[in-house]
Amino acid sequence: MTPVVELIAPGIWRLTFGEPEPLTPLTYRQTPIKSPQTPLPVVDTPPIDPAQIRVTRTQRGLTIVLPATKGEDFYGGGLQLKSFCQTGLRKQLRVNSDPVADTGDSHAPVPFYLSTGGYGVYVDTARIASFYFAAQPLRGESAKKVRMSTVNTDIETLYDAKHDAPSRVEIDLPTAQGVSIYLFAGPTIGAALQRYNLFSGGGAMPPLWGLGVWYRAYGKFDQTQAVDLARRLRERKIPCDVYGLEPGWQSNAYACSFTWEPNRFANPTQMVDELGAIGMRVNLWEHAFTHPTAPFYDALLPHCGTHETFGGITPDFTTEQAKAIFAAHHDKTLVSIGIAGFKLDECDGSDFIKWPWSFPEHAQFPGGMDGEQYHAVFGTLYAHTDWSVFRKHDKRTYGSVRNLGALAAPLPYVLYSDLYDHKDFIRGILTAGVSGMLWTPEVRHATSKEDLIRRLQSVVLSPQALINAWYIPMPPWEQTDREKNQGGERMPDWEEY
């Protein structure tokens, strides 16, 4: 295919091959391209010669081949918990909250990568694309022209991902018959990433209080217990700027009613005021799957996908109707009493949870997407819907979210995970950052005092200093003392709750 090449902003080119699918992440970009506050270097030509990019239709969809220079390294693909440099790897960019191997599954996969050649590439698709970074040689390309006279048993040599790596990136894009590819010039990696973030609508602007310390309270607390623990934190001079309530605040949480449970929270306005008086903003847990007892269920029903999750319907946030209905309830009943933000959970999906965790890829949505496509935009559009309530009142917010995708840079929402490997968590700060997103290595518990200290050090240097004690009645440092020093009861695994 021969591309149509357009300069759409300084240093950013769009290459259109064939007829792209009508519904992509860019279809739903909420904020326009921003201009840099400090001028970026002027670049007059695309960082990759468009004539050297090959796009071919296949029985599967499209094969995209982008040239590269020998020795280039590649970074990106969204949040990747198992690797930072992607050179020599295949990444299938599929939404999955439980990535157990370095395959590309992620809370937040993004079809964007950066090269040490000083440029970035974004493929505008909501499909599950596979990226082959420094792809396998084609027939006849291999450097091994002579037969080996000895049998090589050295594992590192046999499985060296780079020893035959040619100079290109190959992308397998299923279903599509056309695609738009965006090239972001550098000449440095930093400048290329800055152009991508500006293309997405600019970076996030959180409120100052959001950059303080967050504490999420035990999920079974009632109003009195929640306020008592908050006061105890203050009395002990433990920093806390945002106080989070977990599923127990709702009358139904899986799926969500989005209404207070009166037996546990008899006067939520009073509670918000009390916590505000001691300098704590309140953040509420929720997910978008809407229970039949939710006050707006009937109005939302026509604007939802074909499959239920947790016994609730899935709003189609690609439609203006679903966004308006969902946002209006949050505005009227929660933000109006002083709720400062939300934790948007379970908008990803999992292969390993025993109950129906999310909608299948063959689900259908009234806006025209199937489940495969909607998974790619679900968390991003959910966050935009939530954010719109605060923007309506010219308020800043800062929240948490379990899934984001392409073009999420403007969102004041930080990714988190139910996984808990510390090395993965630290790696996530880096990989999310090179795809324009934020990540927190939240602290939930520790195996020792040293482990707790190391985790606290990591989290305070991340975009959100989050202590998540949702499944233990006491703070993690008290729990660690109780287990290690006093022979107290074992800290439960989260699955027990």
Side-chain angles (χ1 to χ4, degrees):
M1 297 184 195
T2 302
V4 176
V5 182
E6 305 165 88
L7 178 67
I8 61 169
I12 304 175
W13 287 263
R14 176 170 57 213
L15 282 57
T16 303
F17 296 85
E19 188 67 32
E21 290 191 287
L23 303 179
T24 68
L26 193 56
T27 308
Y28 305 105
R29 182 176 59 187
Q30 304 289 307
T31 47
I33 299 175
K34 293 290 178 65
S35 299
Q37 292 183 342
T38 302
L40 288 166
V42 176
V43 181
D44 295 323
T45 58
I48 302 176
D49 182 357
Q52 299 300 310
I53 299 176
R54 303 197 310 272
V55 177
T56 307
R57 287 196 182 98
T58 69
Q59 291 180 332
R60 294 175 52 78
L62 295 178
T63 297
I64 304 167
V65 181
L66 298 104
T69 303
K70 201 75 172 179
E72 282 186 44
D73 281 322
F74 305 99
Y75 303 87
L79 174 73
Q80 296 292 325
L81 297 179
K82 302 296 182 180
S83 60
F84 180 50
C85 180
Q86 308 303 333
T87 309
L89 301 179
R90 169 190 180 267
K91 290 299 175 77
Q92 185 183 54
L93 301 183
R94 187 175 74 106
V95 176
N96 180 12
S97 68
D98 293 285
V100 296
D102 193 17
T103 59
D105 283 15
S106 167
H107 292 279
V110 179
F112 169 78
Y113 69 87
L114 291 166
S115 166
T116 52
Y119 64 88
V121 176
Y122 167 60
V123 180
D124 187 34
T125 182
R127 295 295 176 188
I128 301 175
S130 293
F131 283 65
Y132 297 77
F133 293 102
Q136 290 174 274
L138 298 175
R139 186 174 57 207
E141 281 188 340
S142 176
K144 291 183 177 179
K145 301 298 183 183
V146 288
R147 182 178 177 181
M148 289 186 296
S149 59
T150 60
V151 177
N152 195 336
T153 59
D154 177 57
I155 298 296
E156 290 187 5
T157 302
L158 285 171
Y159 294 99
D160 181 3
K162 297 183 180 181
H163 76 286
D164 256 343
S167 301
R168 65 171 176 269
V169 174
E170 293 186 7
I171 303 167
D172 174 35
L173 182 58
T175 304
Q177 296 299 298
V179 65
S180 291
I181 299 172
Y182 292 80
L183 304 179
F184 301 88
T188 65
I189 284 182
L193 177 58
Q194 189 174 355
R195 292 189 206 272
Y196 170 75
N197 287 339
L198 291 167
F199 173 76
S200 303
M205 183 64 74
L208 286 177
W209 54 259
L211 302 179
V213 177
W214 293 52
Y215 186 91
R216 304 204 70 84
Y218 184 44
K220 295 182 180 181
F221 274 173
D222 60 22
Q223 180 171 330
T224 299
Q225 292 168 319
V227 173
D228 285 348
L229 178 57
R231 292 190 183 281
R232 196 168 83 211
L233 294 176
R234 274 287 177 266
E235 290 166 1
R236 297 186 178 185
K237 302 187 184 306
I238 295 172
C240 182
D241 300 271
V242 182
Y243 195 74
L245 299 180
E246 288 293 301
W249 73 269
Q250 294 187 55
S251 59
N252 201 89
Y254 282 85
C256 288
S257 65
F258 307 98
T259 56
W260 295 90
E261 167 51 55
N263 293 323
R264 289 195 295 271
F265 292 86
N267 194 334
T269 302
Q270 177 184 333
M271 177 192 64
V272 172
D273 290 343
E274 285 186 58
L275 294 174
I278 59 174
M280 295 184 187
R281 267 82 174 184
V282 178
N283 178 286
L284 297 181
W285 174 99
E286 64 171 49
H287 60 221
F289 306 116
T290 304
H291 193 259
T293 57
F296 56 95
Y297 177 89
D298 290 339
L300 188 64
L301 185 60
H303 313 293
C304 293
T306 52
H307 287 66
E308 291 187 352
T309 300
F310 303 120
I313 52 177
T314 306
D316 184 355
F317 291 125
T318 71
T319 69
E320 294 301 319
Q321 297 94 327
K323 289 191 293 185
I325 293 167
F326 202 86
H329 174 81
H330 284 66
D331 188 8
K332 181 180 179 180
T333 66
L334 301 172
V335 176
S336 65
I337 68 168
I339 299 302
F342 296 90
K343 173 183 176 181
L344 312 180
D345 207 0
E346 274 115 31
C347 46
D348 39 25
S350 174
D351 292 335
F352 303 107
I353 303 300
K354 296 178 182 178
W355 60 86
W357 185 259
S358 195
F359 49 87
E361 290 163 0
H362 58 268
Q364 298 295 311
F365 287 84
M369 281 190 157
D370 59 31
E372 175 188 358
Q373 295 169 300
Y374 193 58
H375 272 299
V377 300
F378 183 22
T380 305
L381 295 183
Y382 184 11
H384 270 294
T385 301
D386 182 65
W387 188 27
S388 70
V389 178
F390 296 94
R391 297 176 77 185
K392 173 183 174 182
H393 300 291
D394 198 25
K395 293 181 179 179
R396 288 185 184 175
T397 188
Y398 202 38
S400 306
V401 67
R402 272 279 290 273
N403 164 252
L404 290 174
L407 312 175
L411 289 165
Y413 293 82
V414 182
L415 290 157
Y416 65 98
S417 174
D418 273 344
L419 306 177
Y420 206 56
D421 184 277
H422 195 199
K423 290 182 179 179
D424 287 354
F425 272 21
I426 294 173
R427 193 178 293 115
I429 298 173
L430 302 176
T431 60
V434 297
S435 291
M437 299 180 296
L438 306 173
W439 167 263
T440 175
E442 61 177 22
V443 179
R444 291 205 298 275
H445 67 258
T447 57
S448 66
K449 287 186 177 180
E450 181 179 355
D451 183 38
L452 176 62
I453 291 169
R454 296 291 176 257
R455 289 180 180 273
L456 288 168
Q457 288 171 330
S458 298
V459 80
V460 298
L461 295 174
S462 80
Q464 193 173 82
L466 173 58
I467 314 299
N468 187 359
W470 76 270
Y471 65 101
I472 49 175
M474 60 194 70
W477 45 92
E478 293 183 13
Q479 182 74 42
T480 300
D481 284 342
R482 182 177 181 179
E483 290 182 9
K484 301 300 181 183
N485 299 335
Q486 301 174 13
E489 65 184 45
R490 174 188 61 85
M491 177 181 291
D493 295 326
W494 77 269
E495 288 89 348
E496 296 180 35
Y497 289 96

